[in-house]
Amino acid sequence: QTLSLIHVSPTLKMSLNICATACGMRPAASVPQTSQQPIHTKHLGSTSASARRARFVCRAAAAESVDETEQDQDEIKVVKAKRFMDAMRDNQAKKDTRNWEAMEIAAAMDPLAGGIAPELIQGRLAMLAWLGVGFAEKATGMTAAGQYAEFSTIINSLAFIISLATLMPTLVTANPLADIVASTKTGMPEAWVKINGNTEEMVGRSAMVGFAFLLLTEAALGRALFA
């Protein structure tokens, strides 16, 4: 734009326009050719050389940008892997504190204080319930509520085991459960990226909502949905 406002020879402007085009920039506005400012063929060689140099510079810059992007991705993977390893490393300073187990469990089980254990446990129970209820209804014809009334001891024991297993990483490492779960969302190995914490959270929430609808549907129908 500046070149279009000042007096520049057409030959120089043509060279600059070719370089700008090679680099992906918008060329400057063209200046009408006049008889007082002819373009001589002897300048075309230098113009072509300038264009070649401009293309070379642009390609070199693009290659350098790709290398930097790949390097950044590698660094991000290292940071994510380190985050997961740090979350699973023993927190010896916390273990030296008295009654740290009770404090960590209380923090994990309090949803008002940011505790994520209730949602995580209920999501896992709902996913397992879908599998068990479906097969049990096919085999016995009993509704989900009827199954709980009949086998409440077994179901409650299973819920306790799932709850204890969910809290076990905190009890072993003495790290907050929220940090451990966060590391599973962003720090899992590349091969497990499709089954990370985000996936479990999404499937768990869907299972809880779906199981609630299952109970309501069976209560309205008065029979097992999968029988």
Side-chain angles (χ1 to χ4, degrees), residues 5-123:
L5 298 178
I6 62 177
H7 178 73
V8 181
S9 66
T11 303
L12 176 59
K13 182 169 292 186
M14 177 178 291
S15 300
L16 294 174
N17 285 343
I18 293 176
C19 294
T21 303
C23 293
M25 299 181 295
R26 187 179 64 177
S30 60
V31 175
Q33 298 182 15
T34 62
S35 57
Q36 290 80 9
Q37 295 177 338
I39 300 178
H40 300 285
T41 55
K42 65 179 181 180
H43 298 296
L44 295 179
S46 60
T47 300
S48 301
S50 300
R52 286 194 296 270
R53 284 194 296 271
R55 293 191 185 98
F56 176 78
V57 171
C58 291
R59 291 172 183 171
E64 183 179 355
S65 177
V66 171
D67 293 339
E68 291 178 354
T69 302
E70 293 177 352
Q71 184 178 1
D72 292 341
Q73 293 295 330
D74 293 338
E75 292 177 356
I76 291 174
K77 291 178 182 179
V78 172
V79 171
K80 288 182 177 180
K82 186 176 183 298
R83 186 180 304 165
F84 180 74
M85 293 173 59
D86 289 342
M88 300 305 295
R89 187 177 289 112
D90 285 348
N91 188 351
Q92 194 59 45
K94 178 65 71 61
K95 288 185 175 181
D96 294 337
T97 305
R98 185 177 181 180
N99 295 330
W100 66 267
E101 298 94 339
M103 292 188 294
E104 288 296 340
I105 292 175
M109 295 297 293
D110 186 3
L112 298 179
I116 61 174
E119 181 185 10
L120 189 60
I121 293 172
Q122 292 169 17

Side-chain angles (χ1 to χ4, degrees), residues 77 188-194:
K77 291 178 182 179
M188 295 295 287
E190 200 69 24
W192 296 352
V193 69
K194 293 184 178 180

